[in-house]
Amino acid sequence: MASTTLVAVGGKGTNPKTTLYVGGLEETVNEATLHAAFLPFGEIKEVNIPLDHATGTHRGFGFVEYEEKEDAAAAIDNMHNGELFGRVLKVNYAQPMKIKGGDKGWSHLPVWADTDRYIEEMDAENELEEHEKEQRKQAAKEAAAAATADGADQAMKEAAS
């Protein structure tokens, strides 16, 4: 009996999940290879393998977006823990990007959209700096008082001798 994967019809709003995360890619795998490996399961909208800007090579994972949610589910069923170029693949539904500024990112927000949070952070940072200054002043006063007390004790001992 073959095991199947539960198909989650999640995602944003009523849109089903059609984008898959494919991890564990061998370093010679490119977008064309990934497209060819996942094509048997349905019509593919897009294949993307993010590159590491420093090295110019990919980081061992990619994304495959299908036209239909059923095709994505079939690809997970058949390719998760499958092998490609000698490497075991991890295939799951891709998580939505967690970027600042909501779903569309910073470019779709007005310049002042994050002002309140910025001001709160700056106020908290300034308050922390003031608190640290006060602690340093207090420590310096205590050290000076201790030094004065030590000097007075030493003077009394010398006078008594």
Side-chain angles (χ1 to χ4, degrees), residues 98-157:
K98 292 179 176 37
I99 53 177
K100 293 182 180 179
D103 293 331
K104 295 183 178 180
W106 286 113
S107 64
H108 295 299
L109 293 177
V111 174
W112 58 87
D114 209 29
T115 304
D116 292 338
R117 185 178 61 81
Y118 175 75
I119 290 172
E120 288 172 7
E121 286 176 2
M122 293 308 297
D123 287 345
E125 199 173 298
N126 289 338
E127 189 176 321
L128 182 62
E129 286 176 11
E130 288 296 322
H131 180 69
E132 288 173 351
K133 273 186 194 176
E134 288 298 319
Q135 284 183 331
R136 285 193 296 268
K137 282 182 185 177
Q138 185 65 29
K141 283 181 184 177
E142 290 173 4
T148 304
D150 287 345
D153 288 345
Q154 186 67 24
M156 288 182 140
K157 286 179 185 176

